[in-house]
């Protein structure tokens, strides 16, 4: 290789090293319709010399056909690539552009201003570090400006670009009037860094270079920076300690028996080999062995990096789990409050099941309560029971499986989520977590009228008599026992599994996970009725020991009496009063316990009965004697 060639190679490698380690800023442009967002990005790219000659030629050609700037080149066409966007002169979809300067790399998301496409704007904001909010100097702060500002509030850094200053004669008074109006509105925002820049995207004033036509634009006694220098110097770093480690597992990589790695993108904190971590929700502990990438192992990983983590112990880690610092106090939750932006024409249905996607986890969720709706004009909170398209509300959400969440303000990567319609798979809402509502921060209120006082009035010991086993004999025996107890003057209630599926559990199927939720709900209802001082009879097949044990553990040791209806399957099939066994054998009922789904018999039930030998009267008499022995009656 010649000396000249070697110098060229060295220069290229040095250039690549410098640009490889430059910081990157992700920002969005947003605001109302026709505020000039696409033109601003086009001007940035053009004046920063980030456009190839063939692109300029194509834009010049298209400007004559569908431009909106007369004889001049329409720089908005550099971003608005859809035919419908060019025909209407508006932005419809999110358009991403990359460019680089000597100081920083940039990824820009040009987002729609039209209210109809607010969902697309939320998409662009979800990965941004900063928002450039455009305001038309002629029109001032509009409703969509306020809506976008509220949605971008938690990004912490906002740059308010007052555009089209050329159309108001570069008036300092008009700029200061808009700044004052926006500051008044922003007093109810939480963003800690809001900056204002007067500019003209069409003319290029204060976009890349300072404008000579606005010498009055000053900061701290000096000429104020144009938009690009401001974006180059703004500090967006938010150092996070190791205690804030968040690594959602996206994929378990097992290419051979000797390697097990957990792939994902580090959402927050830093990670090094040797660090002690916990796996949530299982709470298992291990240490990081390696941080594997395609370019070799890392000594340290930072937020935003895609890595494969290996651990020094064989622990159970699956997609949707999360690695956190061992000392972290983060706990999974089953309920949380959130700000929700509704993105679908069909309004939110309270209590309806949606699929919730947070990080790498998908669970079933319900919006159970609307706490208030936000008036985007004043940011005032208004009571509401309805959330329509583009509405913003704070709500309470419950999920069927514990989720590991942070507040969005603390960790956007683990505090954002979307709701998806389970039938058409459309994204209907985007949300930002405000606070988790786990058992740790919910307080049980002790009432003046206690369970003991209620039991004394009923002259009985409150308890749950839980019938498990073959369905037909169990409900028959439970029904007969309640009639006998009621005739003896006791306060009772019978919870029948079939009846509950017509109301309380009508939304559940018969898969393992849904049966677990069915058990949980019935157990909670039974526990409340025990607290009311009643004898609660539950006739539920409840095929799994672990689920029955969970119900038992929610009650006092002597409040749960398990009755195993140990009737042979052949006898049940012969009786079959509802025809269920016949239908199950014919394949008409899937996952039927004892036929196509397993049943785990109790190992040490308090009472065991076999209805194949005794008549119903003798069986009930035996149960009454057993309940007396247990001190219930």
């Amino acid at each position: 290789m010649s000396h000249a060639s070697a110098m060229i190679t060295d220069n290229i490698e040095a250039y690549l090293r410098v640009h490889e380690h430059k910081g990157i800023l992700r920002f969005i442009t947003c605001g109302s319709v026709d505020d000039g967002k696409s033109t601003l990005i086009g001007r940035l790219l053009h004046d920063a010399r980030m456009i190839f000659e063939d692109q300029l030629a194509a834009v010049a050609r298209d400007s004559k056909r569908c431009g909106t700037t007369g004889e001049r080149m329409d720089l908005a066409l550099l971003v608005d690539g859809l035919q419908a966007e060019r025909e209407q002169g508006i932005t419809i979809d999110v358009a991403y552009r990359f460019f680089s300067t000597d100081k920083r790399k940039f990824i820009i998301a040009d987002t729609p201003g039209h209210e109809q496409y607010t969902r697309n704007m939320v998409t662009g904001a979800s990965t941004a570090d900063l928002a450039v909010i455009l305001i038309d100097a002629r029109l001032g702060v509009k409703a969509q400006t306020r809506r976008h500002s509220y949605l971008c509030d938690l990004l912490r850094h906002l740059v308010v670009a007052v555009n089209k200053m050329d159309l108001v004669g570069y008036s300092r008074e008009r700029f200061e009037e808009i700044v004052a109006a926006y500051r008044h509105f922003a007093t109810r925002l939480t963003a800690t860094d809001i900056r204002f820049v007067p500019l003209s995207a069409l003319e290029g004033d204060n976009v890349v270079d300072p404008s000579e036509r606005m010498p009055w634009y000053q900061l701290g006694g000096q000429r104020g920076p144009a938009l690009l220098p401001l974006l180059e110097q703004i500090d967006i770093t938010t150092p996070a300690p190791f205690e804030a480690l968040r690594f959602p597992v996206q994929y378990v990589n097992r290419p051979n028996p000797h390697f097990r790695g957990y792939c994902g993108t580090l959402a927050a904190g830093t990670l090094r080999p040797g660090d002690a971590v916990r796996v949530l929700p299982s709470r298992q502990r291990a240490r990081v062995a390696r941080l594997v990438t395609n370019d070799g192992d890392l000594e340290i990983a930072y937020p935003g990096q895609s890595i494969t983590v290996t651990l020094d112990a064989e622990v159970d880690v699956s997609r949707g789990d999360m690695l956190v610092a061992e000392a972290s106090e983060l706990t999974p939750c089953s309920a949380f409050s959130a700000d929700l932006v509704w993105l679908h024409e069909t309004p939110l249905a309270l209590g309806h099941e949606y699929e919730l996607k947070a990080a790498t986890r998908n669970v079933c969720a319900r919006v159970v309560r609307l706490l208030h709706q936000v008036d985007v004009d004043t940011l005032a909170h208004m009571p509401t029971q309805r959330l329509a398209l583009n509405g913003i509300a704070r709500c309470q959400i419950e999920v069927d499986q514990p989720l590991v969440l942070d507040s969005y303000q603390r960790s956007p990567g683990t505090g954002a989520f979307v709701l998806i319609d389970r039938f058409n798979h459309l994204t209907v809402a985007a949300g930002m977590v405000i606070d988790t509502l786990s058992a740790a921060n919910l307080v049980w209120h002790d009432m003046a009228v206690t369970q003991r006082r209620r039991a004394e009035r009923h002259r009985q010991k409150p308890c749950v008599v839980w019938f498990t086993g073959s369905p037909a004999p169990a409900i028959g025996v439970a029904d007969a026992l309640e009639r006998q107890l009621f005739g003896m003057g006791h306060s009772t209630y019978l919870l029948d599994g079939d009846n509950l599926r017509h109301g309380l559990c009508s939304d559940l199927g018969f898969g393992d996970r849904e049966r677990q939720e069915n058990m949980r709900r019935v157990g909670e209802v039974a526990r409340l009725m025990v607290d009311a001082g009643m004898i609660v009879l539950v006739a539920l097949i409840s095929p799994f020991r672990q689920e029955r044990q969970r119900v038992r553990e929610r009650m006092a040791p002597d409040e749960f009496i398990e009755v195993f209806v140990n009737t042979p399957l052949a006898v049940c099939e012969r009786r079959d009063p509802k025809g269920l066994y016949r239908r199950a054998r014919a394949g008409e009922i899937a996952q039927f316990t004892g036929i196509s789904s397993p049943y785990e018999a109790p190992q040490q039930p308090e009472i065991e009965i076999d209805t194949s030998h005794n008549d119903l009267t003798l069986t009930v008499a035996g149960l009454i004697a057993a309940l007396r022995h247990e001190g219930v009656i």
Side-chain angles (χ1 to χ4, degrees):
M1 179 183 296
S2 67
H3 179 68
S5 299
M7 288 184 62
I8 292 174
T9 302
D10 291 343
N11 289 337
I12 292 174
E13 291 178 352
Y15 176 84
L16 292 175
R17 280 196 300 272
V18 169
H19 283 263
E20 180 182 359
H21 294 94
K22 282 192 301 189
I24 187 168
L25 174 70
R26 296 175 175 85
F27 71 92
I28 66 169
T29 58
C30 54
S32 191
V33 177
D34 201 30
D35 280 346
K37 297 177 292 298
S38 298
T39 302
L40 174 62
I41 295 177
R43 175 60 66 181
L44 271 173
L45 297 174
H46 178 272
D47 289 7
R49 295 176 176 81
M50 292 295 162
I51 305 172
F52 295 110
E53 290 186 6
D54 59 336
Q55 290 178 299
L56 275 177
V59 170
R61 184 175 61 252
D62 291 342
S63 296
K64 297 177 181 178
R65 180 171 53 87
C66 53
T68 59
T69 56
E71 297 298 321
R72 305 175 64 175
M73 185 182 299
D74 189 352
L75 294 175
L77 299 180
L78 285 166
V79 185
D80 291 338
L82 298 177
Q83 181 177 351
E85 292 178 324
R86 295 188 170 197
E87 290 174 350
Q88 300 178 52
I90 63 172
T91 301
I92 295 175
D93 202 359
V94 182
Y96 293 92
R97 291 294 182 271
F98 172 85
F99 74 100
S100 177
T101 67
D102 291 338
K103 297 180 180 179
R104 184 173 257 172
K105 293 181 285 189
F106 299 90
I107 296 177
I108 317 172
D110 181 25
T111 63
H114 198 284
E115 185 174 347
Q116 179 182 352
Y117 303 112
T118 299
R119 72 190 74 182
N120 298 14
M121 177 266 161
V122 173
T123 301
S126 64
T127 57
D129 305 307
L130 174 148
V132 177
I133 301 173
L134 272 80
I135 297 177
D136 188 324
R138 299 168 301 169
L139 305 176
V141 179
K142 299 173 65 177
Q144 193 70 337
T145 312
R146 289 186 284 266
R147 178 179 284 108
H148 286 185
S149 297
Y150 181 83
L151 295 175
C152 295
D153 184 25
L154 292 177
L155 295 180
R156 299 184 182 91
H157 303 283
L158 304 180
V159 175
V160 179
V162 182
N163 190 26
K164 303 188 181 182
M165 289 296 294
D166 55 307
L167 299 182
V168 294
Y170 300 99
S171 168
R172 176 178 184 174
E173 291 73 19
R174 180 56 179 158
F175 173 71
E176 291 178 347
E177 180 183 341
I178 292 173
V179 170
Y182 191 92
R183 286 194 185 279
H184 177 72
F185 160 78
T187 56
R188 303 195 63 173
L189 298 177
T190 61
T192 56
D193 181 20
I194 304 178
R195 311 188 189 202
F196 299 86
V197 179
L199 55 85
S200 169
L202 183 66
E203 300 293 340
D205 293 287
N206 269 348
V207 177
V208 172
D209 300 310
S211 171
E212 297 299 329
R213 289 180 276 201
M214 290 181 281
W216 47 262
Y217 168 52
Q218 296 186 351
L219 291 176
Q222 298 180 346
R223 173 174 284 186
L227 180 63
L228 182 59
L230 177 62
L231 296 176
E232 287 180 320
Q233 68 187 23
I234 196 167
D235 183 11
I236 59 166
T237 57
T238 52
F242 175 69
E243 286 72 20
L245 169 68
R246 302 291 185 266
F247 181 72
V249 177
Q250 183 174 1
Y251 173 69
V252 180
N253 186 7
R254 190 76 189 277
N256 58 63
H258 309 294
F259 184 89
R260 185 195 300 270
Y262 308 105
C263 308
T265 301
L266 188 58
T270 58
L271 199 56
R272 297 176 176 86
D275 283 340
V277 297
R278 275 195 304 137
V279 182
L280 294 179
S282 68
R283 301 179 183 276
Q284 299 175 91
R285 287 174 166 80
R287 288 189 177 274
V288 176
R290 297 171 58 193
L291 301 175
V292 183
T293 72
N294 191 50
D295 297 322
D297 286 13
L298 300 178
E299 291 300 320
I300 184 171
Y302 295 98
Q305 285 187 288
S306 297
I307 55 176
T308 297
V309 178
T310 68
L311 302 177
D312 67 348
E314 291 290 336
V315 295
D316 182 15
V317 184
S318 304
R319 172 181 168 83
D321 291 347
M322 188 176 295
L323 301 185
V324 300
E326 186 180 44
S328 173
E329 297 180 355
L330 184 68
T331 57
C333 68
S334 56
F336 59 93
S337 60
D339 282 341
L340 201 65
V341 185
W342 195 253
L343 307 174
H344 198 265
E345 289 80 3
T346 303
L348 165 70
L350 284 177
H352 181 73
E353 284 192 344
Y354 297 96
E355 182 180 348
L356 184 148
K357 177 175 175 55
T360 58
R361 192 82 184 276
N362 290 59
V363 298
C364 178
R366 298 177 189 83
V367 180
V368 297
R369 185 182 176 196
L370 290 174
L371 302 176
H372 60 252
Q373 188 164 358
V374 178
D375 183 336
V376 295
D377 289 320
T378 63
L379 297 187
H381 297 165
M382 307 175 297
T384 186
Q385 291 299 316
R386 187 176 184 274
L387 190 60
L389 176 65
N390 293 329
I392 304 170
R394 182 157 297 179
C395 60
Q396 185 173 323
I397 298 176
E398 294 180 355
V399 291
D400 67 343
Q401 298 176 62
L403 275 178
V404 181
L405 298 171
D406 288 287
S407 69
Y408 183 88
Q409 200 157 23
R410 182 186 182 195
S411 176
T414 51
F417 64 93
V418 295
L419 294 182
I420 301 168
D421 190 290
R422 300 178 69 190
F423 297 101
N424 56 29
H425 307 294
L426 294 176
T427 299
V428 296
M432 296 170 287
V433 176
I434 300 300
D435 192 18
T436 59
L437 304 173
S438 63
N441 52 28
L442 294 178
V443 179
W444 180 268
H445 296 280
D446 293 320
M447 304 303 179
V449 180
T450 63
Q451 183 193 81
R452 181 182 60 80
R453 295 182 64 183
R454 298 186 188 101
E456 288 173 352
R457 169 168 289 187
H458 294 308
R459 292 189 295 277
Q460 62 189 25
K461 187 180 97 173
C463 68
V464 171
V465 182
W466 192 284
F467 289 85
T468 178
S470 306
I475 184 59
V477 173
D479 184 43
L481 177 61
E482 190 193 23
R483 287 200 307 270
Q484 181 67 30
L485 290 172
F486 187 78
M488 295 166 64
H490 294 287
S491 295
T492 64
Y493 197 88
L494 172 59
L495 295 173
D496 171 41
D498 286 352
N499 290 351
L500 289 170
R501 282 189 174 272
H502 287 282
L504 178 68
C505 304
S506 61
D507 58 320
L508 299 177
F510 292 88
D512 289 351
R513 184 177 298 174
E514 291 170 303
R515 284 188 168 185
Q516 291 171 8
E517 173 61 13
N518 183 56
M519 281 277 293
R520 187 193 69 80
R521 294 184 192 180
V522 176
E524 286 301 307
V525 171
R527 187 175 66 86
L528 291 173
M529 298 184 80
V530 168
D531 190 59
M534 304 186 72
I535 298 173
V536 187
L537 285 68
V538 178
L540 200 65
I541 301 174
S542 47
F544 304 119
R545 292 192 196 100
Q546 185 179 16
E547 300 307 317
R548 296 194 298 268
Q549 181 62 27
R550 285 177 182 169
V551 177
R552 182 188 290 270
E553 290 171 355
R554 292 284 287 156
M555 301 180 184
D558 58 348
E559 289 180 350
F560 188 88
I561 299 172
E562 191 172 31
V563 180
F564 178 29
V565 184
N566 190 13
T567 304
L569 181 62
V571 174
C572 296
E573 290 200 65
R574 186 171 64 248
R575 292 174 178 171
D576 201 13
K578 298 181 180 180
L580 298 178
Y581 287 94
R582 176 181 53 77
R583 293 174 59 199
R585 290 291 187 189
E588 298 176 13
I589 303 178
Q591 295 180 300
F592 188 82
T593 303
I595 303 295
S596 53
S597 183
Y599 175 79
E600 299 173 355
Q603 295 175 327
Q604 292 181 320
E606 281 75 13
I607 303 171
E608 182 174 344
I609 60 175
D610 180 353
T611 64
S612 61
H613 301 300
N614 298 329
D615 64 23
L616 195 55
T617 302
L618 292 176
T619 299
V620 170
L623 286 170
I624 293 291
L627 292 178
R628 283 200 176 102
H629 178 74
E630 296 286 340
V632 176
I633 56 178

